[in-house]
Amino acid sequence: MDIRILRYFLAVVREESISGAAQFLHITQPTLSRQLMDLEEELGVKLLNRGKKNQRVTLTEEGMLLRRRAEEIVALTDKTVSEFDTSQDIVSGDIYIGGGETNAMRLIARIGKKLQAQYPLIRYHLFSGNADDVAERLDKGLLDFGLFIEPANMERYNYLRLPVTDTWGLLMRKDSPLADKKSIRTEDLENLPLIVSRQSMVGNELAGWSGRDFDNLNIVATYNLIYNASLMVDEGFGYALCLDRLVFSADNNNFCFRPLEPGLEAHLSIAWKKYQVFSKAAEKFLEALQEEL
């Protein structure tokens, strides 16, 4: 399977049109159509639903699977080329960092800023996702570093514990009856419509805090990243169990955050694959990180 053909396929997916993709790629439509048919024949499946003229092209289930794999393959190829396409004397290139939403990203930004003064040609690419998403991309080589909010399985990585912690609590509207409380106890969650993280292991952590089966709580929705969940809170849909300092809750908006009692803190670590071969840019970042810590 040719990487060039995967790029062609992704162009069709993006443009939702074979003719539009052909124009973008500066090749003829018959050439592109033939390449796509050859790809379908090679894989033995139909990838595209080709509509009538002027109708957009849609993906079959097999096409959706190939899109995910093609995006990963192309991203990893570009990352590998970038790592070799640098001068021996100049430190430049790309650093890929993934992580959950956490205020600890400020520490990463401070380190990056210091490094930027010495190596201005280094570029940073951030991926936001929960621990499961980050671990998957780290394992596939799509990330150099992953920022993990505990609980997370760190056995297969080298990692550094960061000197910061986040605090679990409840995000709510300011007009909620619970807003008058200084903290949230387990009995306060009884029958509350809760919006919770779907990160694996978080349920166990919160179950340990509450002393009850997490699944018996009134969970009305789950989230991957907190921003969209905060909009549901703002609309009065429910209360979000989340980490502090992720949603601005000062006097000029509708939110307030109350920590759990007894307190439940989340430690943070930055990890990389064992036996990882770093680019020069990633090596410099790790050195700066170790020096900072």
Side-chain angles (χ1 to χ4, degrees):
M1 187 183 303
D2 193 328
I3 187 70
R4 176 176 54 88
I5 305 303
L6 292 182
R7 294 186 191 276
Y8 286 179
F9 171 74
L10 291 176
V12 173
V13 173
R14 183 176 60 253
E15 299 294 329
E16 298 184 337
S17 163
I18 294 178
S19 60
Q23 185 176 1
F24 172 81
L25 295 167
H26 304 292
I27 61 176
T28 65
Q29 182 174 338
T31 297
L32 179 57
S33 295
R34 185 172 64 254
Q35 299 275 16
L36 294 172
M37 288 188 288
D38 288 345
L39 179 61
E40 288 179 320
E41 183 177 349
E42 178 183 354
L43 296 176
V45 295
K46 183 180 179 182
L47 300 171
L48 302 171
N49 293 313
R50 299 165 174 82
K52 297 180 181 179
K53 188 176 181 181
N54 297 326
Q55 286 185 335
R56 67 188 184 95
V57 172
T58 60
L59 292 174
T60 64
E61 288 188 8
E62 292 81 4
M64 293 178 186
L65 174 60
L66 181 62
R67 179 184 63 185
R68 292 197 299 271
R69 295 291 181 260
E71 287 172 345
E72 293 172 354
I73 292 169
V74 169
L76 186 57
T77 300
D78 290 343
K79 181 174 180 292
T80 303
V81 170
S82 174
E83 289 170 354
F84 283 95
D85 188 23
T86 57
S87 166
Q88 294 298 314
D89 302 320
I90 300 175
V91 177
S92 64
D94 302 279
I95 300 173
Y96 296 82
I97 303 173
E101 292 176 309
T102 168
N103 199 57
M105 189 57 72
R106 291 184 179 275
L107 175 63
I108 303 302
R110 286 198 296 270
I111 295 170
K113 183 179 180 181
K114 290 180 181 179
L115 202 60
Q116 191 178 50
Q118 189 174 2
Y119 305 109
L121 297 181
I122 293 178
R123 292 174 297 179
Y124 297 84
H125 305 274
L126 303 180
F127 169 80
S128 295
N130 65 23
D132 302 326
D133 302 326
V134 172
E136 180 181 0
R137 296 181 74 87
L138 195 60
D139 292 343
K140 289 179 178 178
L142 299 173
L143 297 175
D144 297 307
F145 302 97
L147 188 63
F148 289 94
I149 305 167
E150 297 181 6
N153 185 358
M154 308 295 289
E155 292 179 356
R156 60 185 183 273
Y157 306 118
N158 292 322
Y159 63 93
L160 292 171
R161 174 71 67 85
L162 300 181
V164 291
T165 57
D166 287 338
T167 301
W168 281 97
L170 196 65
L171 182 72
M172 66 191 79
R173 288 168 53 108
K174 287 183 178 176
D175 58 6
S176 164
L178 293 177
D180 293 332
K181 291 179 171 288
K182 292 184 178 180
S183 58
I184 302 299
R185 300 184 64 84
T186 181
E187 57 266 24
D188 296 323
L189 302 182
E190 196 72 38
N191 298 321
L192 273 187
L194 295 176
I195 305 169
V196 303
S197 169
R198 61 175 176 266
Q199 177 178 324
S200 63
M201 301 175 70
V202 164
N204 291 337
E205 187 83 351
L206 291 171
W209 168 81
S210 66
R212 65 180 64 187
D213 188 346
F214 189 68
D215 291 333
N216 288 336
L217 295 173
N218 182 24
I219 298 173
V220 296
T222 63
Y223 66 86
N224 185 31
L225 298 174
I226 189 60
Y227 177 74
N228 285 338
S230 72
L231 298 182
M232 301 184 79
V233 172
D234 196 27
E235 290 298 323
F237 181 80
Y239 297 74
L241 279 166
C242 62
L243 299 172
D244 62 339
R245 296 176 292 180
L246 298 183
V247 177
F248 190 65
S249 56
D251 292 336
N252 61 346
N253 69 25
N254 293 331
F255 298 117
C256 65
F257 178 91
R258 297 293 179 262
L260 300 181
E261 184 186 344
L264 181 61
E265 291 187 336
H267 295 280
L268 297 109
S269 299
I270 187 165
W272 58 96
K273 290 172 64 177
K274 291 183 177 179
Y275 315 112
Q276 172 80 11
V277 178
F278 285 122
S279 66
K280 288 192 293 183
E283 278 184 358
K284 293 298 182 183
F285 178 82
L286 181 57
E287 289 172 6
L289 178 67
Q290 291 170 328
E291 182 180 345
E292 180 75 15
L293 298 183

